[in-house]
Amino acid sequence: MDIHTIREFFTLEHMERLLESYRDFGPLAGILLPIVEAFIPVLPLVAFVLANAAAYGLWAGFFYSWLGSCIGSLLLFALVRKFGRHRFFTFLNDHPKVRQSMLWIERRGFGPIFILFCLPFSPSALINVVAGLSRISQRQFALALLLGKVVMIFIISYVGHDLLSFVQNPLKTAIAALVIFLLWYVGKKVEVRLELAKK
């Protein structure tokens, strides 16, 4: 891919065409993609949230992303909670790190789960699975998830709702990239602290 092709991709006209074709699917795509991401964590949730906010506007894009992500996480949690003692999950239940994380979540409850869900680059699929295997109450998990995802998804949606201006303004893009990097850095620091707290 040469520099000319890259420039063509990021032109205002091309970005507007992409967003228009995405919008044609209605809210279904905006809700379904985050649901699927909860089960396939290699998919980029941040990209889906940015696309939703750019295509549907700040509030609708935020709501579709939040709803889809929360539904997906709750479904995964419920499936693991129901079938977690099944022989298929034995390797997870017996893994020392997983067992340690399960006990830690049971002891600490709402707080750390809420903080982890607030951070854009935390491993949410892993949190859902470990929480499902633990004995944390469904109500505690759901509350931490619903509130934590509000924070995380709103931050990304705020950047995404005016995505075209970020494409046109390099300074705005640099500031957004810096904020995302800082969130990632804080997330890593919190993860390390939480790891130390478990020991």
Side-chain angles (χ1 to χ4, degrees), residues 55-193:
Y56 305 110
L58 174 59
W59 295 108
F62 158 74
F63 179 69
Y64 298 153
S65 299
W66 175 80
L67 185 64
S69 188
C70 289
I71 289 170
S73 292
L74 287 168
L75 283 172
L76 182 56
F77 174 87
L79 285 168
V80 173
R81 178 60 55 94
K82 186 169 176 61
F83 300 108
R85 305 293 165 214
H86 194 271
R87 198 170 53 192
F88 175 74
F89 286 97
T90 305
F91 73 98
L92 271 178
N93 282 305
D94 293 342
H95 194 281
K97 283 250 182 201
V98 174
R99 288 208 66 75
Q100 193 180 28
S101 299
M102 284 161 54
L103 291 169
W104 182 74
I105 282 176
E106 286 166 12
R107 280 200 307 270
R108 308 264 174 160
F110 174 89
I113 296 175
F114 168 76
I115 291 167
L116 285 169
F117 278 131
C118 283
L119 302 166
F121 300 100
S122 61
S124 60
L126 185 62
I127 300 163
N128 298 332
V129 170
V130 172
L133 290 170
S134 76
R135 290 187 179 86
I136 187 173
S137 77
Q138 195 165 346
R139 185 180 294 179
Q140 257 190 322
F141 173 79
L143 191 61
L145 167 75
L146 297 173
L147 296 177
K149 291 274 187 183
V150 163
V151 176
M152 183 265 279
I153 288 172
F154 184 79
I155 290 168
I156 301 168
S157 296
Y158 184 76
V159 172
H161 91 283
D162 202 12
L163 198 56
L164 294 176
S165 79
F166 281 92
V167 171
Q168 291 175 303
N169 188 335
L171 180 63
K172 232 176 168 182
T173 306
I175 292 167
L178 180 65
V179 169
I180 289 168
F181 171 77
L182 287 172
L183 286 167
W184 172 82
Y185 181 76
V186 168
K188 285 292 162 195
K189 284 286 182 191
V190 169
E191 225 175 314
V192 169
R193 280 181 176 255

Side-chain angles (χ1 to χ4, degrees), residues 10-18:
F10 285 105
T11 60
L12 187 61
E13 294 78 18
H14 186 255
M15 295 298 278
E16 282 175 337
R17 279 200 305 274
L18 279 176

Side-chain angles (χ1 to χ4, degrees), residues 16-56:
E16 282 175 337
R17 279 200 305 274
L18 279 176
L19 292 176
E20 198 54 53
S21 61
Y22 186 76
R23 248 190 305 261
D24 288 344
F25 290 103
L28 194 62
I31 296 167
L32 275 178
L33 288 172
I35 290 175
V36 173
E37 185 276 337
F39 291 87
I40 309 170
V42 292
L43 294 175
L45 178 63
V46 171
F48 296 153
V49 176
L50 287 171
N52 280 349
Y56 305 110

